[in-house]
Amino acid sequence: MHAHSPTSTVAKALILASTSRYRKELLERLRLPFGCVAPEVDETPLPGEAPVQVATRLALAKALEVARRHPEAIVIGSDQVADLDGHSIGKPGTHVRAVEQLRAMRGRTVVFQTAVAVVCISSGFSSQALAQVQVRFRELSDAEIENYLHHEQPYDCAGSAKSEGLGIALLERIDSDDPTALIGLPLIRTAELLRQAGMNPLCHPPLP
């Protein structure tokens, strides 16, 4: 992805441009102090936009929108789109939609496109990265799908599956070089972008 190097001292504040509890819990693993700010971004895909384009565009848009309101901060934006044969599968929102999604994905390979962007207006830093996770779903019965949804109710998750919970039983295989990407934030790539922005998690005083 295109990147601009910082031209001045990087701000100390770190902001996650998200209200997702999943991304918040993941970023906490780096033991950096940070705040969360909701990005005011329309997440509707553009006509003809491929899933990977949706994810990368929205990750940067979220980071930029919050960064413009907090120009001294380093801002992380992320977005994930489930990609089935080039078609976007978003958050189901309802039980009925979740059933439809899981029926469509059973026995199939879905690519979870997870993009992350890091932006700091004051230093001029802007860079992006993409993690692609290939997930093979089992040949699930209707009863298995209903039972899973009854227990986990993953209606706020792209693709209706939470791999960090019971959703792992839906799957045959996960292929990824950035393990947390499937949950919503690729931490290997995020840590590298933060290093480039001047905030190395391994050189920053960790939270107690």
Side-chain angles (χ1 to χ4, degrees):
M1 296 295 178
H2 185 65
H4 301 287
S5 298
T7 57
S8 61
T9 302
V10 177
K12 294 180 181 179
L14 178 64
I15 295 175
L16 176 63
S18 176
T19 56
S20 164
R21 67 181 186 275
Y22 308 112
R23 293 194 177 105
K24 179 177 182 292
E25 290 170 359
L26 288 173
L27 189 56
E28 286 172 348
R29 296 188 190 184
L30 298 185
R31 301 188 69 181
L32 294 167
F34 68 94
C36 293
V37 175
E40 297 176 3
V41 171
D42 182 356
E43 299 188 31
T44 305
L46 301 177
E49 194 173 28
V52 65
Q53 295 171 324
V54 177
T56 53
R57 176 178 63 82
L58 290 179
L60 183 58
K62 292 174 182 179
L64 282 171
E65 197 283 324
V66 173
R68 291 183 180 116
R69 287 187 274 151
H70 302 271
E72 297 299 322
I74 296 174
V75 180
I76 300 169
S78 186
D79 193 76
Q80 182 183 78
V81 179
D83 180 345
L84 179 61
D85 297 335
H87 299 286
S88 298
I89 299 177
K91 300 173 184 178
T94 67
H95 180 85
V96 171
R97 285 286 300 127
V99 170
E100 292 174 354
Q101 288 186 353
L102 290 174
R103 284 178 176 172
M105 295 186 296
R106 57 188 170 190
R108 308 286 298 284
T109 296
V110 179
V111 180
F112 285 77
Q113 311 279 6
T114 309
V116 60
V118 173
V119 173
C120 181
I121 298 294
S122 65
S123 70
F125 181 83
S126 176
S127 190
Q128 283 184 274
L130 177 71
Q132 297 179 306
V133 184
Q134 293 192 2
V135 177
R136 180 75 179 183
F137 280 78
R138 296 184 181 280
E139 284 284 1
L140 303 165
S141 68
D142 287 350
E144 287 174 319
I145 289 172
E146 287 289 350
N147 193 51
Y148 168 68
L149 293 176
H150 171 75
H151 284 291
E152 201 143 72
Q153 301 179 18
Y155 307 133
D156 61 345
C157 298
S160 305
K162 292 170 66 174
S163 64
E164 68 274 26
L166 180 60
I168 198 71
L170 302 172
L171 312 178
E172 283 186 0
R173 183 183 179 95
I174 298 174
D175 291 308
S176 175
D177 62 359
D178 203 335
T180 63
L182 187 56
I183 306 174
L185 184 66
L187 283 181
I188 292 176
R189 286 164 173 77
T190 300
E192 176 56 29
L193 292 179
L194 289 175
R195 288 187 189 97
Q196 294 173 19
M199 183 178 282
N200 185 339
L202 297 177
C203 296
H204 196 282
L207 292 174

